[in-house]
Coordinates of all heavy atoms in Angstrom, one line a residue:
S133 N 98.0 99.8 89.9 CA 98.4 98.7 90.8 C 98.1 98.9 92.2 O 97.7 97.9 92.9 CB 100.0 98.5 90.6 OG 100.5 97.5 91.5
R138 N 94.6 97.7 97.1 CA 93.6 98.1 98.1 C 92.3 97.5 98.0 O 91.6 97.3 98.9 CB 93.5 99.6 98.0 CG 94.8 100.4 98.5 CD 94.6 101.9 98.2 NE 95.9 102.6 98.5 CZ 96.1 103.9 98.4 NH1 95.0 104.6 97.9 NH2 97.2 104.5 98.8
C155 N 103.5 100.7 72.5 CA 102.9 100.8 71.2 C 103.3 102.0 70.4 O 103.4 102.1 69.2 CB 101.4 100.8 71.3 SG 100.8 99.2 71.8
F156 N 103.6 103.1 71.2 CA 104.2 104.3 70.5 C 105.6 104.2 70.0 O 106.0 104.9 69.1 CB 104.0 105.6 71.4 CG 102.5 106.0 71.5 CD1 101.7 105.7 72.6 CD2 101.9 106.8 70.4 CE1 100.5 106.1 72.7 CE2 100.6 107.2 70.6 CZ 100.0 106.8 71.6
S168 N 107.9 103.1 86.2 CA 107.0 102.4 87.0 C 107.7 101.8 88.3 O 107.2 102.0 89.4 CB 106.4 101.2 86.2 OG 105.6 101.6 85.3
T195 N 110.5 92.9 79.6 CA 109.9 91.8 78.6 C 108.7 92.3 77.9 O 108.4 91.9 76.8 CB 109.7 90.6 79.5 OG1 111.0 90.1 80.1 CG2 109.2 89.4 78.6
I202 N 108.1 93.5 69.2 CA 108.4 92.4 68.4 C 107.2 91.7 67.8 O 107.2 91.4 66.5 CB 109.4 91.4 69.1 CG1 110.7 92.0 69.4 CG2 109.6 90.2 68.2 CD1 111.6 91.2 70.3
P208 N 105.5 96.8 59.3 CA 105.0 98.2 59.2 C 103.5 98.4 59.3 O 103.0 99.3 59.8 CB 105.7 98.7 58.0 CG 106.8 97.9 57.8 CD 106.4 96.4 58.2
V257 N 98.7 85.2 94.5 CA 100.0 84.5 94.2 C 100.6 84.0 95.6 O 101.0 82.8 95.7 CB 101.0 85.3 93.4 CG1 102.3 84.6 93.3 CG2 100.3 85.7 92.1
T263 N 100.4 77.4 99.4 CA 99.7 76.1 99.4 C 100.6 75.1 98.6 O 100.7 73.9 99.1 CB 98.5 76.3 98.4 OG1 97.6 77.2 99.1 CG2 97.7 74.9 98.2
S340 N 78.6 90.6 53.1 CA 77.9 90.6 54.4 C 76.5 90.0 54.2 O 76.0 89.3 55.0 CB 77.9 92.0 55.0 OG 77.2 92.0 56.3
K342 N 75.4 88.1 51.8 CA 75.5 86.7 51.5 C 75.8 85.9 52.9 O 75.1 84.9 53.1 CB 76.7 86.3 50.6 CG 76.9 84.9 50.3 CD 78.1 84.7 49.3 CE 78.3 83.2 49.0 NZ 79.3 83.0 48.1
D382 N 81.3 80.7 82.4 CA 80.0 80.0 82.0 C 79.4 80.8 80.6 O 78.3 80.4 80.3 CB 79.0 80.0 83.1 CG 78.7 81.4 83.7 OD1 79.3 82.4 83.2 OD2 78.0 81.6 84.5
T386 N 78.8 80.9 74.8 CA 77.6 81.7 74.6 C 77.9 82.8 73.7 O 77.2 83.1 72.7 CB 76.9 82.2 75.9 OG1 76.6 81.1 76.8 CG2 75.6 83.0 75.6
G396 N 71.6 80.8 67.6 CA 72.7 80.0 68.4 C 72.9 80.6 69.6 O 73.2 79.8 70.7
K408 N 73.0 72.3 83.1 CA 73.7 72.4 84.4 C 72.9 71.7 85.5 O 73.4 71.0 86.3 CB 74.0 73.8 84.7 CG 74.6 74.1 86.0 CD 74.9 75.6 86.2 CE 75.5 75.9 87.5 NZ 75.8 77.4 87.8
L430 N 71.1 85.6 78.7 CA 70.4 86.2 77.7 C 70.9 87.6 77.4 O 71.0 88.1 76.3 CB 68.9 86.2 78.0 CG 68.0 86.7 76.8 CD1 68.1 85.7 75.6 CD2 66.6 86.8 77.4
S449 N 74.8 93.6 58.0 CA 75.4 93.6 59.3 C 76.8 94.1 59.3 O 77.7 93.8 58.5 CB 75.4 92.1 59.8 OG 74.2 91.7 60.1
V494 N 83.0 84.8 94.9 CA 81.9 85.8 95.2 C 81.5 85.7 96.7 O 81.2 86.6 97.3 CB 80.7 85.8 94.1 CG1 79.6 86.7 94.6 CG2 81.3 86.1 92.8
M508 N 72.4 94.0 101.3 CA 72.6 92.7 100.5 C 72.6 93.0 99.0 O 73.5 92.6 98.3 CB 71.6 91.6 100.9 CG 71.7 90.4 99.9 SD 73.3 89.5 100.2 CE 72.9 88.7 101.7
P509 N 71.7 93.8 98.4 CA 71.7 94.0 97.0 C 72.9 94.7 96.6 O 73.5 94.4 95.5 CB 70.4 94.8 96.6 CG 69.5 94.4 97.8 CD 70.4 94.3 99.0

Side-chain angles (χ1 to χ4, degrees):
S133 176
R138 291 176 183 175
C155 290
F156 283 102
S168 295
T195 300
I202 294 173
V257 176
T263 302
S340 182
K342 181 179 179 181
D382 57 357
T386 300
K408 177 182 178 182
L430 190 60
S449 293
V494 172
M508 174 65 76

